Amino acid sequence: MTWPVHIVTVSGLIEDANENVLLVKSARRNTWETCGGQVEMGENLEEALIREVREESGVEVSVRCLAGVYSSVQETIWHDGVTPVPPKLNLDFLCDYRSGELRTSDETTEVIWCPRLSCLLDAAFCRAFPEVVLMEDRLNPAEEWSRGMKQKVILLNTDHWGKEDAELGKTLLETFLTLLKQEEEPPAAIFCMHRGVLALTEGSVLSLHLREIEDRGVPVLACKTCVDYYGVEGSLYAGKISSMKRFLELAARYEVFSIN
């Protein structure tokens, strides 16, 4: 194979209507990545990205805008394990999900929607995807999130974050609460509904983090209807039982950030 002087590649930060980010696990590298790949002969940049996303994840997207241009001059090897590959010029785009169901491919072993905020609050993710941080125009995403934190009420509707893998969702939610504990300005309150009340029980590791947040003076409240529905009043380790009326009062006064 005769290589050109450089290779042009495209990748995309794809978001759905619920501010989830699409991630795929590479079958070759066994690492989580954004969708993307090499622009083929006869394709323009948008066509190449839409094709790569479809091939790797099964979904259809629209390209919103160019977010960054990067170059990689380090020596890499082709899939055959022998042939050296020339430097890459990579163009990153912001994309919107349009349709389709998640599926794996020959190139991917897992495909998931991951809450964008939990990604941006995770230091390891930010190191792995610096382009995502730049796409968000946040050099310090955790710091950006903390601005105005005292003006927010967190509505916790689940004991794991996201609709895909439950174990991954629990890890993401625990990471979020761990970082939340470290913020100089905590939220105005945390209100738990639906399965969120299960995070307050003795059997959940999340209750330890929520108890520490509560000890800082943050009201951690549990919907009485939900507590009664799951029958967990006797096993609450953190939080106090409250009412829908109290949540409406908080929602009228503060910005509500929902975790589903």
Side-chain angles (χ1 to χ4, degrees):
M1 179 182 296
T2 301
W3 289 102
V5 176
H6 63 271
I7 295 174
V8 177
T9 62
V10 289
S11 60
L13 176 65
I14 303 158
E15 291 183 307
D16 66 7
N18 297 315
E19 296 191 340
N20 295 309
V21 174
L22 183 66
L23 297 178
V24 297
K25 181 172 279 190
S26 167
R28 186 164 64 92
R29 291 176 291 275
N30 196 36
T31 54
W32 287 105
E33 303 174 355
T34 51
C35 290
Q38 185 173 336
V39 179
E40 296 181 354
M41 187 70 70
E43 289 182 319
N44 64 38
L45 300 177
E46 291 191 14
E47 290 170 345
L49 181 53
I50 291 171
R51 172 186 55 76
E52 287 286 350
V53 173
R54 183 188 303 121
E55 291 176 355
E56 295 180 0
S57 69
V59 305
E60 297 294 330
V61 300
S62 60
V63 179
R64 190 190 317 165
C65 63
L66 178 67
V69 179
Y70 311 91
S71 60
S72 174
V73 296
Q74 69 183 74
E75 182 177 335
T76 56
I77 301 299
W78 183 240
H79 303 315
D80 60 11
V82 178
T83 308
V85 177
K88 295 179 183 178
L89 175 67
N90 188 69
L91 298 98
D92 282 343
F93 294 85
L94 294 177
C95 302
D96 296 309
Y97 167 78
R98 290 305 179 197
S99 63
E101 298 294 327
L102 301 186
R103 62 161 174 76
T104 57
S105 67
D106 293 341
E107 300 177 78
T108 57
T109 57
E110 294 184 61
V111 183
I112 65 169
W113 287 112
C114 182
R116 181 180 66 178
L117 180 60
S118 64
C119 292
L120 291 169
L121 286 171
D122 187 276
F125 179 91
C126 293
R127 286 194 298 270
F129 299 105
E131 71 277 11
V132 173
V133 180
L134 291 171
M135 284 182 191
E136 290 290 318
D137 195 26
R138 296 175 178 179
L139 297 180
N140 189 334
E143 179 181 336
E144 177 71 15
W145 160 248
S146 69
R147 294 176 186 171
M149 174 64 75
K150 63 182 179 181
Q151 298 300 320
K152 292 182 174 67
V153 170
I154 296 176
L155 177 59
L156 185 59
N157 287 311
T158 181
D159 60 344
H160 63 275
W161 201 344
K163 298 180 181 180
E164 303 299 329
D165 188 279
E167 288 303 313
L168 174 61
K170 289 179 181 179
T171 300
L172 292 172
L173 187 51
E174 184 176 4
T175 299
F176 173 79
L177 292 175
T178 299
L179 290 167
L180 189 62
K181 291 187 302 185
Q182 301 169 8
E183 295 297 329
E184 292 184 7
E185 291 188 350
I190 298 176
F191 200 99
C192 300
M193 288 191 197
H194 299 284
R195 290 185 61 87
V197 300
L198 302 181
L200 300 171
T201 61
E202 296 173 342
S204 173
V205 68
L206 300 175
S207 67
L208 302 177
H209 300 294
L210 289 164
R211 181 68 172 270
E212 289 185 43
I213 294 172
E214 187 177 30
D215 289 342
R216 292 186 59 189
V218 177
V220 177
L221 308 171
C223 168
K224 178 171 172 38
T225 302
C226 302
V227 168
D228 291 344
Y229 178 84
Y230 288 107
V232 295
E233 182 174 356
S235 60
L236 293 180
Y237 178 74
K240 295 179 175 59
I241 296 177
S242 188
S243 64
M244 186 64 70
K245 180 180 179 181
R246 178 55 179 151
F247 173 70
L248 290 175
E249 293 172 349
L250 290 167
R253 184 176 178 184
Y254 301 101
E255 177 185 349
V256 177
F257 175 78
S258 299
I259 297 179
N260 302 305

